[in-house]
Amino acid sequence: MSEAEEAPGSEGERTVAFLLSLRARGVRDLAVLRAMEKVSRERFAPTRFADLARQDVSVPLACGQTMTAPHTVANLVSALEMEPTARVLEVGTGSGYVSALLAAMGGEVVSLERYRTLALAAHERIGGSGYAKMVDLRHADGFQPDRTLGRFDRILVNGVTHSIPEALLARLSVGGRLVGALRVEGVSRRVVVTRTDDSAYDHALGPVLRLPPLIPGLARAL
């Protein structure tokens, strides 16, 4: 049966509807849309919230965390301007969905998650997604990445901070790009930081985004 002949409510139709809903919210980056077509958000959502996975809403996770709404994820990932084979550092693995998207776009991903519970669950989900070889997932403090990791072409910070930690900026390659969100005058706005040379960075604020705060340190209880 061809895609055009699939029955109403089929997997293909649901995927098309999901992608069209994102385009309606202003998502135009074809590379991001293709990755979202390849990577099933249902695989990464908790089972009890699977019915929400293809809606443009955030989804609750363990440890009081959430899967960010897809259009916000697309906004952040698009701003990375991903290139194939780029080394990518992700801060805040969450469900592992964004890790898989970055891998689907050709990234070599190191993802750091402060909650052990989330890190273990994400590791299992990524293992079943086909992208395990491209994602190095670690239970670690994303605000203090291990220096032995070297530098990265792209860094994605999945949450709102009051400032970008110097230890994180130090992991950005010259010409590299960091994308996250900053709390500015009471609202969360996307920020793109480009490292122009060894000691200089260019900061550009973008649109308001709805993202949870990102907390430094390892979570001890979970």
Side-chain angles (χ1 to χ4, degrees):
M1 181 181 290
S2 71
E3 183 174 337
E5 295 170 331
E6 288 180 354
S10 69
E11 177 77 10
E13 268 199 346
R14 291 194 298 271
T15 298
V16 169
F18 174 62
L19 296 175
L20 287 175
S21 73
L22 293 176
R23 289 183 65 89
R25 293 295 303 268
V27 179
R28 294 289 184 267
D29 189 316
L30 292 180
V32 174
L33 289 169
R34 289 192 192 103
M36 288 183 151
E37 182 179 10
K38 292 178 183 177
V39 180
S40 169
R41 195 169 181 245
E42 286 96 328
R43 179 183 293 277
F44 294 89
T47 303
R48 66 185 183 278
F49 297 117
D51 60 325
L52 299 177
R54 295 202 202 195
Q55 297 183 37
D56 192 18
V57 295
S58 58
V59 175
L61 296 174
C63 308
Q65 303 304 296
T66 60
M67 287 182 75
T68 302
H71 82 274
T72 302
V73 169
N75 189 305
L76 292 169
V77 175
S78 180
L80 280 175
E81 296 186 359
M82 282 285 292
E83 296 178 352
T85 72
R87 290 196 77 221
V88 186
L89 177 63
E90 179 189 24
V91 178
T93 310
S95 69
Y97 174 64
V98 178
S99 309
L101 288 178
L102 295 171
M105 296 176 73
E108 177 189 335
V109 183
V110 176
S111 187
L112 309 181
E113 174 54 58
R114 72 185 298 263
Y115 291 101
R116 181 175 176 80
T117 298
L118 292 181
L120 290 173
H123 187 273
E124 183 175 344
R125 290 174 181 133
I126 291 171
S129 71
Y131 296 105
K133 292 183 179 180
M134 301 174 72
V135 179
D136 178 3
L137 200 162
R138 305 185 181 199
H139 175 222
D141 179 5
F143 281 23
Q144 296 290 332
D146 192 326
R147 292 183 180 182
T148 62
L149 292 173
R151 289 186 176 182
F152 293 83
D153 306 304
R154 299 290 186 271
I155 298 177
L156 179 61
V157 182
N158 287 318
V160 181
T161 62
H162 290 285
S163 62
I164 305 298
E166 290 295 329
L168 196 53
L169 290 173
R171 301 275 62 79
L172 189 62
S173 298
V174 174
R177 173 176 287 234
L178 178 151
V179 176
L182 290 177
R183 194 76 174 168
V184 179
E185 297 179 351
V187 298
S188 302
R189 295 184 61 185
R190 190 188 70 196
V191 63
V192 176
V193 181
T194 304
R195 187 168 194 166
T196 55
D197 60 39
D198 276 335
S199 58
Y201 301 87
D202 176 67
H203 292 66
L205 287 176
V208 173
L209 297 179
R210 187 172 183 178
L211 284 166
L214 202 64
I215 304 170
L218 285 178
R220 296 185 179 182
L222 296 169

